[in-house]
Amino acid sequence: SIHRRCACGIIHQARKQAYPKLKCHFDSFFDDRQPLFFYAFGMINNVHEIVPEIAENVRGGNGTAYAHKLLDLFPGSAIKSVGVVRLEPGASVGAHSHNGDEDFYYCISGTGIVVDNGVEHPFTPGTLQITRDGETQAIRNTGETELIFLGALIATPTEFE
């Protein structure tokens, strides 16, 4: 089922039972006919309606990155930002560390390499990479098409420090 592919399958399964006609926001990752939506406590953003921020040589990397910010600094939440990032072929985000927050990258499409604490790993659709507080990450597009991934930045909970 689609909900088995979601990171939050239990929540989505409960939502599906309560609201059977409401689509899961991850449904569109697997179905190009549907726009990508992000649901957060009554807030709905459509990635196709967001003008991307365009950046060159991000964090010492190479090439162009396009960031479609779905959520940025949500008040009262540990979530600092959520967005869909597109890297052109050959583009990269340079190595950087996280302090006081955690980050994840989830590959939607394309082919790349993600560097997790200095160790390279293939980054292909369905791959999740998590960078914990104090760790480092980098990513580069090694394919011939755009590398598209979902990224989220979350404040480190003080109860785990």
Side-chain angles (χ1 to χ4, degrees), residues 13 20 46 52 66 74 76-77 89-90 93 95 98 100-101 106 113 115 117 131:
Q13 191 63 23
N46 182 323
Y66 302 87
F74 193 68
S77 173
V93 174
H98 287 272
D101 53 39
Y106 178 80
I113 297 289
V115 183
N117 292 307
T131 303

Side-chain angles (χ1 to χ4, degrees), residues 93-135:
V93 174
H96 59 282
S97 62
H98 287 272
N99 296 300
D101 53 39
E102 299 178 346
D103 195 6
F104 79 73
Y105 294 159
Y106 178 80
C107 186
I108 298 169
S109 66
T111 303
I113 297 289
V114 68
V115 183
D116 183 49
N117 292 307
V119 180
E120 293 188 353
H121 301 276
F123 194 65
T124 56
T127 302
L128 174 67
Q129 184 270 337
I130 300 173
T131 303
R132 306 298 305 262
D133 186 17
E135 296 181 345

Side-chain angles (χ1 to χ4, degrees), residues 56-80:
E56 299 289 330
N57 308 321
V58 177
R59 298 188 183 254
N62 299 306
T64 305
Y66 302 87
H68 300 260
K69 289 189 176 181
L70 294 164
L71 180 67
D72 201 20
L73 300 174
F74 193 68
S77 173
I79 301 170
K80 290 183 173 183

